[in-house]
Structures are given as structure tokens and as C-alpha cells.
Amino acid sequence: MAPARSVYQRDTNRAEKSRAVRKTGDRSVSADVLVQQLINGITLGGLYALIALGYTLVYGIMLMINFAHSEMFMSGGYVGLFVLKALTNESLVGVGTVAFFKGSSIGLIILFAMVFLSAAIVVGLLGVVIERFAYRPLRHAPRLAPLISAIGVSIFLQNAVLLWVDSKALPFPSVMPVVTVIDAGGVTVNSLQILILVTTLLLLAVLDTFVSKTRIGKAMRATSQDREAAGLMGIDINQVIALAFFIGPALGGIAGVFHGMYYGSVKFDMGFLPGIKSFTAAVIGGIGNLRGAMLGGFVLGILESLAAGFLSAGYKDVVAFAILILVLIFRPGGLLGESVVEKV
Amino acid sequence: MTSKRKRFVALVAATAALALVVTGCASKTETGGTDGGATEATVVKIGIGAPLTQGAVALGKGMERGANLAISQANEDPAVVDLGIKFESVSGDDQGDPKTGVTVANQFASDSKLVGVMGHLNSGVSIPASKVYNQNSIVMVSPASTNPALTQQGLDNVFRVCTIDSVQGPSAADSAFKDLGFTSAFVVDDSTPYGTGLADEFAKQFEADGGKMLGREKTGDKDSDFNALVTKIKSLSPAVVYYGGIYNSGALLSKQLSDAGVTAPLMGGDGMYDGEYVKLAGDAAAEGDFCTSIGYPIDQLPKGADFKAAFEAAYPGDAIAAYDAYSFDATNVIIDAVKKVAADLGADKVTSPEGKTAIIAAVAATNMDGVSGAVAFDANGDTTNKVITLYTVKAGAWTAYVK
């Protein structure tokens, strides 16, 4: 953890000094800031990418935008928080267990593996249930119907958490120590930022291999190309769709836990902004394309950070959506999008 | 197939309708003392407009607590019983959102027995809502909206018992520059009327005092990622970061500043003065942060101990938030005016148009000894009690700053 900031520790000398440095060596300082902003952007982009994968996976198979996905992300944050609280509650799991979890690095790894796994599984199952009851009955309805249903689910989930859990933001306990891994010339990278990046890349690699190499992946691709033909070839469509609705929300759930850990709190409406941004990222990258969602997430995260850092914090959303419009004008299929097949 | 689909559409529609009811409308909880009198007492309603499910909920719930305490005390007052009045409260959840605030205001206005509103919290909500109350001759006493524009609209029914940002902002700047010795500042706001107004006033006075402004940035009141901004702030090394906004986002900013290794404390206004701020930012990040809030700390007020005792009896286990006492006072301002009008015109006239106009006049003439100090209003409807206290986070709690 960073040291507590307090008046008594205030070091005005340092501030004066660094300002003097700024005057003499402006270029080197701004290079540091640039690198730091890129790191901020990559971390934020990793979160966007994780969520965007869920949008793009579901779209690829169902050709529908799952607007309830932002609430999968939010639910992940809450499930992660509750599991973490339960596993570090001494009266629930015993003093020894808590000491083991908190005391050793192996314990911490096991603890957080359990937190992430349970968030992924619970939210994944939630996704499957939602698909079964809110989308499957509308599978042959006009395309607008499941979209509206998705918005309904989103509002329902938000309000369910609001009423049954809490309307206030809940602090996310900082059980995992966040250590500064790199600290070079004003640029700092902490362990959590690295964890987010590594997890995101790892999950994409696994998902990409899964979809392109395995039999079930092949079934998913076939369903994505032509649902009815795939069904005629003996593929269980319902299973494939349910799987997509498990994996997508599970990834969103993991992103929710990261969001809680990174920003230190969860709130019932926390999904809204990241949800919209990640959807934008998925569209920028080419919706339906897994690598595109990843690329879109990072592009958006980095551009947002640069805009906030070098223009003004107020402009970051303007930049994010201006990029979306530009991409839609010049590459309607997205950066990595396939040429759009007429399916509407 | 079709019947199945129809059934599903109906289910979706029902879900959507349910969701609308939950999000869009004011939740009504009515409280009041038991009706002990033999004769039927005239019911007089007071609206409580506050964010109860979204926005600064910790502060909004406090407003509801303070107002309900004042109302239940009034109903036990023999003088009120003798006048043949019984007060009831109606809570309207404005969600800290201007549009929802206007909906709540219209609901209040459609209730003919409602004569006054204690609210709202956010200036951005209070300003549009005040126009609705003005059209319906309902008196509005805000315990918490500090943007100067609220009382400068020329509306005769709008009052507040809290000091305004043009007092709070400069006071914070003076404290920062003169008392705390911060020579440079980076100022951020949350783009709401409250946050922007406060940050502007701070910046103006800080520069006038001779402080150096290193930057001025705007963020959103629902933002959670401030890392890009934090990096910018870090590169400028200000002595203090001033944030005009509410504790939700302020706490996240403080945490991210601390995580990035910025040692300058975060300073804010009354919107940050809540225990939730420390909880969300984490003890380590919040320690040493500053905020100003209106009035004296509760335990330094002559009536503070009485209020604390009554509060603890009514709400065991709850902590007093920033506006509990102000809401108690604001509600009592309305109650006193109603009592006066009931004595002059008769209890049955209180809820008539004539009575409502008389209540507005009676509130304007308020001269009350409240929990927050002497309560009286100037020509605009602003309180004449302009005290600001500086707080700092010490050992995980906001405590009045002692030099």
C-alpha cells in the first residue's frame, strides 16, 4: 500500500523541486507522463476488453446485443465481494483458515482463485438462466424483442441489487496487498495492474484457442455462421447458445471483481458506464470478433487515458465516442471486423 | 407458439413496469405520531425530498431521519395537539437526479395537504424543483443545497438553513492557504452545479490569497476511473488537491491518488463530510484528507447534546450524518410556521391557498434557536448563520481540525 497521506508528512520541498525539474527538463517529464498514461490506459483497456469479449461472443452466436451484460459485470463485483467476505470471516470458516488465506502467498493465491472462480461460475450460471428465460422464448421473434428484453433484465438486476443488497457503494476490502512492481523515473506499475493485464491476455488466448481448435468451438463457429444449418448437422444449438451465455457473463463477472479490487468499491449502478464503453470497444474492434473486442478495449482505454491526461478529464468520453463514430463511418465492420454479411 | 410468445411478452412488459415503478417513482413512507386526541386533527404534510436510493444516499437518509425526528417531536408537543394539527411526513426519492427531482416535486405539489418541503440535497435538484414549489405556493427549506443560484432566482418560497458555496468555497481556500500552508492547488469538480460552484469559488479565493493554481479539471459525478487525471496531478505535484463533489466519487479519487503515491491530501466540501467517504477510500488513503462543512460540529453546539440524545433514542445504532441536524432545523422552521398560521387563521385554513401563502411569510420571518445555532433568513432566503468548520480524517473518522 502507498503510505498514508497526511499533513504531517507533507513534503512541500519535493513539490518545489519537481516543479523546478519540470521547468528545466520538460521533455523527459512529459515522456514519463506519457508512459504512465499508457499504463493507465492499458489497465483500463484490459477491463474493457474482458467485458467486450462477453458482448462480442454473444453477438457472434446470437446476433443480439446483450444489454444486460453490464449487469453481469456488476453482479461479478458483488459475488466476488461476498465470497471474499465469507472466506475471510473468522466465525464462518475458522480462525486458522483465515490466517492461512491472509498469511501466506499460497493462501492468498488460493483465496483469490476461489473468489474469481466463484464469481465466474455464479455469474456464468446467471447468464445461462437469463438466456433461458428472457431470450430463448424470443429467439424467433423480431430482433428488437430480445433487445428490449435485455434492457428489462438490466433494469431488473440493477434494482434487485439496489433493493436487496444496498443502495450505497460497498467498500471492497483490500485483502490482497498491492505492491509497486516497477518504479522507474516517476512511472509506477503495481501488481494489480499487471494481474489485470495478464489475466485478460490469458483468458483471450484460452478463449481464442477454445473457439478455433476444439470440437465445441467448431460447433460455436458453425452456429454463428448459420444457426439452422448447424442444427441440421446435428449440433445442439441450445447447448451452444447456453455455453456462449455462460462464458460471456463469466468473463464479465471476472472483470467485475477486478473493477472492485482496482477501484475499491462496488455499487449497483457500477456496470452502466463500463458497459457502454465496452460495448463501444466491441463495436470499434468489430463486433462478433474476439480479437477485435480485445483490440477495441485497449484502443479505447488508451485513447481515453491520453485524452484525460493531455486534453482534459472532461473530454475523455467525448474522445471515446468520437472514435466510435469515426470507426463506424470509415470501417462500419469495425477495425478487425469481417465484411458485413447482410443478415438484418 | 404464439400464445407462448404472448405470455413471454406480457412477462417482459410486467418486468419493465415493475422496474419503472422501482426506479422512477417516489417511494412513500408515512410516519406520524399516534392520534391521541378525541377530535379529528387536521393532517398537515411535510415533504422530504432527498436521494434515498441513488446518489448521496448516506446523506439523504440522514435528512429523512432528521426530518422525521422533528415531526414526531412536534406531534408530541401539547401546543400542536391543542391547535388540532397532526404532522405527517412524505418521503420523495429524488435519486440526486434533476429530472427525478422534478417528478417528486410534482407529486408533492399534487398533494393538497402538503404545505412545505424539507429538501432537496443536491443543488442541481433543488433548483429545478424550487420552481415547481413556487408555482404551487409550497414553502421549500433546504438543509443542504449550497449553490448560490438557488436563492437568487427571485422565488419568495425558497429558503435554506445551510451556508452557501460563495461562503464555503472561499473559507476552504483561506483555510488551505493560510491555516494549512498549502501554496499550490489542483482543482477538480464533478460537473454538477454543486461541485462546479464550490470548486470555482475555491479556485477564485485561493488565487486571490496568493496560492498557485496548477490545474482545473472536470470529471463526471458517476466516474470511477480517475487514473489518467491522477497521473496528470502527480506530474504537477500540487500541495493540495481540491475536489468539488460528493463523497462517492471523491473517495475513489482519494484512493487512486494515494495508490499512485501522491502525498498531497484531498480537500473537499460538505458533500464529502460523511463516514462513507473514509470507508470507500480506505483508512490509509483518507487519513489526512480535509473537508469543510457548514455550521459548528454537533458536540460544540448548545443544543447538540439534546439532539444527540433524542437522535440516539429514535435511531439506535445510526450515526449522525452531515445534514441530520440541519434537516431537523429545516423541518422545525416549517413546523413553527404552520403552528403560527394555525394559531392566526385556524387549523382548517393551514392547507388552503391562503394558509400556504401565510406559511411562506411566516418562514421568512423565522427567528428560531435551532440545533445548528440561530436560524433566521435574509431577503434572499439564505441563512444569516454563516459558520464553516474545517474537518480532517484522523484515525479513520472525520474530526474537527485543530491547528
Side-chain angles (χ1 to χ4, degrees):
Chain A
M1 282 307 287
R5 285 176 292 125
S6 102
V7 250
Y8 314 107
Q9 297 179 340
R10 208 175 64 251
D11 188 354
T12 36
N13 256 341
R14 204 177 110 187
E16 292 298 335
K17 254 183 263 162
S18 65
R19 228 171 293 132
V21 170
R22 252 170 41 78
K23 273 184 196 134
T24 50
D26 242 343
R27 193 169 296 163
S28 71
V29 173
S30 64
D32 286 353
V33 173
L34 178 68
V35 172
Q36 184 70 57
Q37 293 295 18
L38 285 174
I39 292 165
N40 293 337
I42 289 170
T43 314
L44 186 64
L47 284 177
Y48 287 162
L50 264 184
I51 312 169
L53 283 175
Y55 278 109
T56 217
L57 195 66
V58 165
Y59 184 87
I61 294 199
M62 294 279 287
L63 287 184
M64 89 164 253
I65 295 152
N66 181 14
F67 275 119
H69 192 59
S70 51
E71 268 51 64
M72 303 288 97
F73 164 77
M74 178 269 289
S75 311
Y78 275 91
V79 173
L81 174 66
F82 293 144
V83 172
L84 183 61
K85 272 193 176 165
L87 289 178
T88 51
N89 185 337
E90 293 184 346
S91 58
L92 218 63
V93 293
V95 181
T97 324
V98 174
F100 167 69
F101 280 147
K102 286 189 176 174
S104 60
S105 47
I106 301 170
L108 266 179
I109 292 170
I110 295 174
L111 174 66
F112 275 89
M114 285 165 81
V115 168
F116 278 106
L117 212 60
S118 46
I121 291 171
V122 171
V123 177
L125 291 177
L126 182 64
V128 173
V129 169
I130 289 169
E131 190 275 327
R132 177 66 191 80
F133 291 102
Y135 305 147
R136 191 178 296 180
L138 296 172
R139 203 174 284 167
H140 301 287
R143 282 185 67 186
L144 205 54
L147 208 70
I148 304 291
S149 181
I151 294 171
V153 170
S154 165
I155 296 172
F156 174 81
L157 287 175
Q158 267 197 31
N159 286 283
V161 173
L162 188 157
L163 286 172
W164 296 330
V165 184
D166 207 330
S167 53
K168 289 186 293 198
L170 298 179
F172 206 98
S174 49
V175 176
M176 183 187 277
V178 178
V179 288
T180 307
V181 180
I182 302 170
D183 189 353
V187 178
T188 56
V189 183
N190 67 38
S191 49
L192 191 55
Q193 289 174 314
I194 292 178
L195 185 66
I196 291 175
L197 186 64
V198 170
T199 312
T200 311
L201 293 175
L202 197 71
L203 286 173
L204 174 80
V206 170
L207 191 61
D208 203 54
T209 318
F210 176 77
V211 172
S212 60
K213 296 277 171 10
T214 63
R215 269 181 72 83
I216 311 172
K218 205 181 213 174
M220 288 176 97
R221 278 181 291 137
T223 312
S224 152
Q225 275 178 12
D226 189 328
R227 201 190 297 162
E228 277 173 25
L232 291 173
M233 297 301 118
I235 292 170
D236 186 344
I237 305 290
N238 284 337
Q239 213 176 33
V240 168
I241 290 174
L243 187 66
F245 268 99
F246 181 85
I247 299 174
L251 294 175
I254 291 174
V257 182
F258 274 131
H259 191 276
M261 287 167 70
Y262 193 47
Y263 299 113
S265 63
V266 291
K267 196 158 178 263
F268 72 94
D269 62 356
M270 69 188 252
F272 179 72
L273 218 52
I276 298 251
K277 292 278 175 62
S278 307
F279 172 61
T280 309
V283 174
I284 288 177
I287 193 150
N289 184 317
L290 292 179
R291 291 175 194 176
M294 202 72 168
L295 178 72
F298 284 118
V299 165
L300 196 67
I302 290 170
L303 285 175
E304 246 187 47
S305 283
L306 293 181
F310 295 103
L311 287 174
S312 159
Y315 278 107
K316 69 174 193 198
D317 293 353
V318 178
V319 169
F321 294 111
I323 298 295
L324 175 68
I325 293 169
L326 286 178
V327 168
L328 286 179
I329 291 173
F330 294 106
R331 275 192 74 92
L335 294 177
L336 297 186
E338 299 143 34
S339 52
V340 184
V341 184
E342 188 54 52
K343 267 179 171 168
V344 183
Chain B
M1 186 64 168
T2 41
S3 77
K4 209 175 170 188
R5 190 187 297 167
K6 264 186 201 155
R7 213 175 56 209
F8 188 77
V9 170
L11 182 72
V12 171
T15 312
L18 183 79
L20 274 181
V21 168
V22 174
T23 52
C25 306
S27 61
K28 293 192 179 185
T29 44
E30 309 212 347
T31 48
T34 45
D35 193 359
T39 50
E40 194 81 358
T42 308
V43 171
V44 177
K45 291 186 185 172
I46 296 176
I48 304 170
L52 299 173
T53 59
Q54 296 190 33
V57 177
L59 301 175
K61 294 262 190 207
M63 287 167 61
E64 199 181 26
R65 284 193 299 256
N68 280 329
L69 185 61
I71 287 170
S72 62
Q73 282 187 4
N75 283 332
E76 282 161 17
D77 179 1
V80 172
V81 177
D82 285 349
L83 284 167
I85 312 174
K86 191 177 150 235
F87 289 103
E88 278 183 9
S89 75
V90 188
S91 292
D93 175 16
D94 64 35
Q95 303 182 348
D97 172 57
K99 291 190 293 293
T100 317
V102 171
T103 310
V104 168
N106 278 311
Q107 276 178 0
F108 282 161
S110 65
D111 190 335
S112 63
K113 290 192 172 131
L114 193 141
V115 297
V117 173
M118 192 293 299
H120 296 239
L121 170 70
N122 307 74
S123 299
V125 178
S126 288
I127 293 168
S130 66
K131 297 190 176 102
V132 178
Y133 301 134
N134 183 260
Q135 285 154 11
N136 293 281
S137 303
I138 293 171
V139 70
M140 164 179 169
V141 185
S142 173
S145 292
T146 49
N147 190 304
L150 175 63
T151 46
Q152 289 164 4
Q153 306 174 93
L155 306 177
D156 63 349
N157 66 319
V158 180
F159 301 88
R160 59 179 145 203
V161 294
C162 54
T163 320
I164 53 180
D165 291 338
S166 51
V167 177
Q168 185 176 197
S171 161
D174 286 345
S175 302
F177 187 78
K178 292 173 185 159
D179 301 340
L180 303 169
F182 298 134
T183 50
S184 60
F186 193 101
V187 179
V188 182
D189 72 55
D190 68 352
S191 304
T192 63
Y194 163 71
T196 311
L198 189 60
D200 284 346
E201 294 290 349
F202 175 89
K204 218 170 21 179
Q205 183 66 29
F206 192 74
E207 279 196 306
D209 283 345
K212 200 168 168 211
M213 280 279 292
L214 297 179
R216 178 82 173 81
E217 289 273 0
K218 287 187 166 304
T219 60
D221 60 336
K222 291 193 170 78
D223 278 5
S224 54
D225 182 80
F226 298 103
N227 284 312
L229 180 62
V230 164
T231 300
K232 189 172 186 177
I233 292 172
K234 193 182 176 190
S235 72
L236 294 170
S237 310
V240 64
V241 180
Y242 190 82
Y243 179 70
I246 304 288
Y247 63 86
N248 282 329
S249 294
L252 295 182
L253 178 58
S254 174
K255 180 177 158 48
Q256 287 166 40
L257 281 167
S258 169
D259 285 351
V262 176
T263 49
L266 188 72
M267 186 171 187
D270 52 328
M272 297 216 317
Y273 181 54
D274 194 276
E276 286 289 312
Y277 173 81
V278 185
K279 266 198 235 165
L280 292 175
D283 285 356
E287 192 73 17
D289 283 353
F290 292 94
C291 81
T292 50
S293 193
I294 44 182
Y296 291 108
I298 210 93
D299 40 359
Q300 286 178 23
L301 291 160
K303 282 190 169 179
D306 291 352
F307 175 76
K308 213 170 172 179
F311 180 93
E312 277 161 5
Y315 309 105
D318 282 358
I320 299 178
Y323 298 115
D324 290 47
Y326 286 88
S327 305
F328 183 80
D329 279 356
T331 313
N332 274 328
V333 164
I334 301 174
I335 288 171
D336 280 2
V338 169
K339 276 158 69 179
K340 190 160 166 266
V341 171
D344 291 352
L345 304 174
D348 52 331
K349 282 279 183 340
V350 169
T351 55
S352 67
E354 184 196 354
K356 285 179 183 172
T357 317
I359 289 171
I360 293 172
V363 168
T366 296
N367 196 344
M368 191 182 87
D369 193 17
V371 176
S372 59
V375 179
F377 301 109
D378 65 13
N380 281 342
D382 287 329
T383 179
T384 50
N385 180 5
K386 298 186 195 311
V387 177
I388 300 284
T389 306
L390 180 67
Y391 295 86
T392 182
V393 179
K394 215 172 177 181
W398 284 116
T399 35
Y401 176 77
V402 190
K403 219 175 173 180

